[in-house]
Amino acid sequence: MVRGSPNPLFFGLALRLRRTRKQCQITASALGPRAGLDIHVAANIEAGTRIPHVGSIAKLAAALGVSAPWLAYGIGDATPAPGASCDGMGQRLQAVRTERGLTKAALARLVELKAPSLYQIENGGQSGVDTIERIAKALGVSPGWLAYGVGPMVLPPRRRTRSAPATASP
């Protein structure tokens, strides 16, 4: 990690998934099929060998009975939000992008994507939790809201955990 730069929000995904899965007493190989996904998906995410699409996280969260934004990004609490899905992600992205006065090409350059990839997301395509977080950060919105339409559109500012250094009195 670069000093002064916070880790991406999705970095805790593997740990949140593993802990929640174990609390639900489900094996990694049983979770994938229960969510309608491949048998190895949970194990691969937990091992850090796969960054899942936001749609896969929505399915895993539903199977585990937790909130998709919490599972993907650690945003909010684990209580599931009714109706949370990736439906409408493309419309939310397009609305915020045009509100900010950005073309697809300009936003793609900001987040180091190719414009066709952004076009695909805006037209209902899926993307990884890492890509959605980069896009959300560039647009100044919550990745949980952008991906799932849940929670506040803008995240509250992070609180500083350290107090300011004391100044010496003359």
Side-chain angles (χ1 to χ4, degrees):
M1 178 173 105
V2 176
R3 184 175 201 114
S5 178
N7 285 331
L9 296 174
F10 75 90
F11 271 19
L13 166 61
L15 182 60
R16 286 187 296 275
L17 178 61
R18 180 179 298 115
R19 285 183 179 166
T20 305
R21 178 184 57 74
K22 286 184 176 187
Q23 284 175 348
C24 293
Q25 298 178 344
I26 302 170
T27 64
S29 59
L31 179 57
R34 183 175 182 175
L37 299 168
D38 182 73
I39 192 170
H40 302 292
V41 71
N44 289 340
I45 294 168
E46 289 179 13
T49 59
R50 177 178 175 180
I51 296 178
H53 285 114
V54 290
S56 297
I57 292 297
K59 290 177 181 180
L60 290 168
L64 292 168
V66 296
S67 162
W70 175 81
L71 184 59
Y73 302 109
I75 297 172
D77 60 21
T79 307
S85 75
C86 297
D87 295 342
M89 180 175 64
Q91 290 90 357
R92 287 187 294 278
L93 172 57
Q94 184 176 22
V96 175
R97 179 184 57 76
T98 54
E99 179 184 297
R100 303 288 195 268
L102 293 168
T103 64
K104 287 181 190 108
L107 180 57
R109 279 191 302 274
L110 278 173
V111 297
E112 299 175 356
L113 280 179
K114 296 190 184 300
S117 297
L118 205 56
Y119 177 82
Q120 181 184 10
I121 296 168
E122 284 190 1
N123 286 302
Q126 292 290 312
S127 191
V129 293
D130 58 334
T131 301
I132 298 302
E133 184 173 352
R134 286 194 335 258
I135 293 169
K137 185 175 180 181
L139 294 172
V141 298
S142 162
W145 174 84
L146 183 59
Y148 306 106
V150 176
M153 181 176 163
V154 179
L155 288 175
R158 289 183 144 195
R159 291 185 180 173
R160 298 186 94 175
T161 56
R162 294 184 186 180
S163 59
T167 57
S169 301

